[in-house]
Amino acid sequence: MKLLIVESPGKIKKIKSFLDSDWQVSASVGHIRDLPAKELGIVFEQDKVQLNYINSSDKASTIKTLKSMANQAAEIYLAMDMDREGEAIAWHVGLVLGKTNWPKIKRIAFTEITKSAILKAIKAPRRVDANLVNAQQARRALDRLVGFKVSPMVWAAKNAGTSAGRVQSVAVRLVVEREREIRNFKVQNYFRIKANLFPELLTDNFWAELMVYDQKTLVSSIEEGKEKKEITISTKKQADELIAEFKKGNWLVLSQKKEKQNKNPFPPFITSTLQQAASVRLKWNAQKTMQVAQKLYENSAITYMRTDSPVISQEALEMVRGFIAKKFPPEYLPAKPHIFKAKGNNAQEAHECIRPINIEQTAESIKGLSKDENDLYKLIWTQFVACQMASAIFNVMTIDIQNGKGLFKASGRQVAFDGWIRLTGSATEASKEKDKEAEEDEVPLLPAVKEGSNLNLREVKSSEHKTKPPNHYTEATLIRTLEKHGIGRPSTYAAIMANIKKRGYLKEEKRKFVAEPLGETLVDLLMKKFNTSWMDYKFTSNLEESLDQVAEGKLNWHKLIINFDSELKNVLK
């Protein structure tokens, strides 16, 4: 008998259907060992760190079953997920199965639950990757040190909550700082000036907006230090005076520029962009997105959903390009595929993007999915197909017009060829909210005018506007900001979002994060003590990079933990 052990029991039925009767499939149901709940569980030696794991009490029967099956098996395959967490689970399971079973153990991994992928993985087993395990152990140790050594300081303070978290507290800091930015924001009035113009002998009129006055750029509010380069029209009186000035002046065409602009499709989803897109398009939180994605993965609908790489396999490229060639006119298939590269350098986790297993299965034709699963599948399918379609092409025209000290600009844009937008229906990235003011898929084209010619004025007017405070964070924008700062990794974002909500440091109102007094007190307390260490954005980002280096075998994880603990001790003194 051969034994294959996976993480999730949801995979067992599907995997069994691909294997013959000689195989047994079981699940660890996630981690089976962890650090003790009520003590630190970390022992520091001279140049080493020892993590004292214990078997999880709620996994006693799972461990008993796995041991019994392993003892009867001729070969044991550990098929946990291929990220750091999965590698660590495989390592723990191997240790629990005991030394007598070690010679029988082989580690395999696959990015999709299909017969071909699983059989291919079985034919190419490997050892458990110690570097990935060490990276996961290092993260666990760092989090435990902050939790156990800093939390008592939080308890002792008044109204600061019950705990501190190495990454969660930094995420709360972002929300608190944004809250204070919004609270302290002073609304300012400003005016914009537009002129309705038309060429000689033509009735075609168009609007041009004042962009520069007296060689200074027009802005809603002047940035500190840019007083010599920027100008704002802050009163109606100023606006009226400028309008009177422009009415007396001539409208001279400085230049007219016509060009074709290509807009390339966006990359296929990775974990963070899928969470953002589901938040924007489906109004889901990150936790729900990952739960539904897990179901799709277990049902062989999509590839593995924890990845930081938009890379597409050659086989998948051929599949999607064949589909586009069959379903769309020839011009929608580019001569060469679009190639997307991972932002990070960590090759160990640079797996394939999140994509459909079978591109022929559309959201309308795929069977056996719940409504939520179908909605998320449609999002993934559309993003993946669109990413390999031809670029959209826009005809763009801009006219620069001089009137005295004022420079006006008019622009028009039309879709010459819709390309990938034919499938998505919009040029806005799926992971971003649609900005009505910025959405320029279609703006009327301008009439042809001659350089050096004068234009006629129909109307010049001003409009009053108010400066707006920055937006509250949503899950989508907070994840995007954490990713931008290099804080956290794909597998951690859903847990971060869930933790900061449940601990009472912020509340969610209409999908917007609002800082609670408890969160503000916590951040103030931690920033007094740890503003140059783990509460600093750059420090936290560097720590993530260090964990990546551990995963690549370039950094000693013992040294990383010892140095971090030493810094922590110095502050806590």
Side-chain angles (χ1 to χ4, degrees), residues 510-552:
K510 295 180 181 176
R511 297 179 56 244
K512 293 174 181 176
F513 286 150
V514 179
E516 293 277 37
L518 195 68
E520 295 195 46
T521 308
L522 174 77
V523 169
D524 287 341
L525 174 71
L526 296 178
M527 287 299 289
K528 278 180 188 173
K529 307 293 178 187
F530 305 102
N531 61 313
T532 58
S533 62
W534 62 273
M535 279 296 287
D536 177 64
Y537 299 134
K538 196 103 182 144
F539 183 95
T540 309
S541 171
N542 290 340
L543 212 50
E544 294 291 351
E545 288 176 15
S546 296
L547 289 170
D548 289 346
Q549 288 182 326
V550 172
E552 293 168 8

Side-chain angles (χ1 to χ4, degrees), residues 279-293:
S279 174
V280 170
R281 298 284 185 257
L282 304 175
K283 315 303 180 196
W284 292 358
N285 61 38
Q287 209 166 21
K288 177 175 179 177
T289 302
M290 295 314 287
Q291 287 168 352
V292 177

Side-chain angles (χ1 to χ4, degrees), residues 205-256:
N205 60 309
F206 59 91
W207 287 97
E209 184 172 355
L210 179 65
M211 306 301 288
V212 177
Y213 185 78
D214 199 17
Q215 297 183 332
K216 292 182 179 181
T217 304
L218 229 72
V219 291
S220 56
S221 61
I222 298 170
E223 208 175 307
E224 196 176 334
K226 292 191 175 179
E227 292 81 4
K228 291 182 180 179
K229 293 181 179 179
E230 295 179 344
I231 189 172
T232 185
I233 306 168
S234 53
T235 66
K236 181 77 165 67
K237 186 185 174 187
Q238 280 178 292
D240 289 343
E241 285 171 357
L242 285 170
I243 287 170
E245 180 186 322
F246 295 136
K247 280 181 177 177
K248 292 174 188 174
N250 293 321
W251 302 88
L252 176 70
V253 176
L254 291 181
S255 66
Q256 178 170 34

Side-chain angles (χ1 to χ4, degrees), residues 61-73:
S61 75
T62 300
I63 290 170
K64 188 178 178 183
T65 301
L66 290 177
K67 276 185 171 181
S68 172
M69 294 175 83
N71 290 338
Q72 297 170 47

